[in-house]
Amino acid sequence: MIPTVSSHNVQLFCIPHAAGSASMYVEWKNRLPKSVELVPLELAGRGRKFNQPLYNDFEEAAADLYNELIQMQSGQPYAIFGHSMGSLLGYELAMRAQENGHPPHVLFLAGQNPPHHFRGVSRYSAMSDDELWSFLLEGSQTPWDEHEHGQQIREMYLPILKADLRLCDTYHHIKGRKKYGSQLVVMNGAKDSSVVAEEKEWHELVDISCMHEMFPGGHYFVYEDQEHVIETVVHYLKGVI
């Protein structure tokens, strides 16, 4: 049973992984307490932003999502949750918000190495379309390769995945920034071989304590252990409002 938070409202802005969309958080809405407003942020080229051109680089994506974050804020306390590529974007949004005087109360970064040790995703650049499609299917909850419109779906999603990988490869950690000063919660899957950072490396980014939560499963533990992930998010929200 997911615990309830206080009667105060809090907004939870969520950012998807590469080739994902805001729809990955749809099931969260019915699992979160009513006092938590779920606000999935959509990426260009998918969902309600389907007609918008894909981003050229990380900065373009970060600027777009930050503008959306500002526009959708209600004035209530808020938190940011990002998974994988969404973690890089979530960190950047939180830092921009901090620099502008309105940081999130909690920042949840899942399935990612610390931004200042991010290694890029150039290893995927040499992959064939078939290999990239297999990689995409690993993170999908739907066996699209068995779908009657599987080929059309592949033709739609491969360009999105390639654009998102390019987005990740154009990320550059900005040195010399003030350390992040609000609560940071790092969440990873125990079997995720892509996350190799030690806990102490995360502490280099923050002025206060950084909490670490480990879940069973691999890189896509946010799907595999969704109930536990949501319980953990609510736990940390309860502690700040």
Side-chain angles (χ1 to χ4, degrees):
M1 183 70 178
I2 296 175
T4 58
V5 295
S6 71
S7 59
H8 296 88
N9 290 330
V10 58
Q11 291 181 293
L12 177 61
F13 292 91
C14 296
I15 309 172
H17 53 72
S21 72
S23 64
M24 71 173 279
Y25 297 106
V26 166
E27 292 185 14
W28 287 38
K29 186 173 183 179
N30 294 327
R31 295 174 180 264
L32 287 166
K34 292 182 179 179
S35 51
V36 179
E37 180 189 1
L38 179 67
V39 189
L41 296 179
E42 189 61 277
L43 301 166
R46 62 213 88 180
R48 58 184 171 80
K49 292 184 178 178
F50 181 79
N51 291 324
Q52 294 185 20
L54 296 168
Y55 304 116
N56 292 307
D57 53 34
F58 185 89
E59 172 55 32
E60 187 176 347
D64 180 39
L65 293 188
Y66 184 69
N67 287 335
E68 186 171 352
L69 175 76
I70 297 303
Q71 293 171 8
M72 299 183 73
Q73 282 181 338
S74 65
Q76 299 290 342
Y78 75 98
I80 295 174
F81 181 99
H83 176 241
S84 194
M85 179 184 77
S87 286
L88 292 177
L89 288 163
Y91 173 77
E92 181 59 30
L93 265 58
M95 291 302 294
R96 294 186 185 198
Q98 174 175 275
E99 290 162 358
N100 286 292
H102 55 95
H105 281 65
V106 189
L107 173 61
F108 300 96
L109 300 183
Q112 188 55 267
N113 290 295
H116 62 316
H117 290 300
F118 180 64
R119 299 179 176 180
V121 292
S122 57
R123 61 188 179 280
Y124 297 111
S125 300
M127 284 186 175
S128 66
D129 283 358
D130 287 344
E131 290 171 324
L132 282 174
W133 181 239
S134 295
F135 169 70
L136 191 152
L137 290 175
E138 288 177 12
S140 174
Q141 296 300 288
T142 304
W144 294 120
D145 53 335
E146 301 173 8
H147 194 279
E148 62 176 323
H149 300 298
Q151 183 60 37
Q152 293 95 316
I153 293 170
R154 170 178 163 139
E155 292 172 358
M156 179 176 69
Y157 273 101
L158 271 181
I160 293 174
L161 176 58
K162 290 179 179 180
D164 286 353
L165 293 174
R166 181 173 65 249
L167 184 159
C168 291
D169 264 340
T170 56
Y171 172 75
H172 300 287
H173 179 71
I174 302 174
K175 297 180 179 180
R177 271 176 158 174
K178 182 179 178 180
K179 290 184 177 182
Y180 182 66
S182 298
Q183 177 73 72
L184 172 62
V185 181
V186 177
M187 307 166 76
N188 286 310
K191 298 179 182 178
D192 186 357
S193 60
S194 69
V195 176
V196 297
E198 297 182 10
E199 290 187 7
K200 65 180 181 180
E201 295 174 336
W202 281 102
H203 291 268
E204 297 168 359
L205 294 175
V206 296
D207 267 338
I208 61 174
S209 63
C210 172
M211 304 304 293
H212 296 263
E213 299 286 347
M214 191 66 71
F215 299 82
H219 188 64
Y220 295 100
F221 70 91
V222 292
Y223 296 118
E224 299 162 3
D225 201 12
Q226 184 183 83
E227 186 78 11
H228 188 195
V229 169
I230 296 174
E231 287 178 352
T232 303
V233 168
V234 173
H235 168 75
Y236 284 102
L237 293 180
K238 185 177 180 180
V240 297
I241 60 174

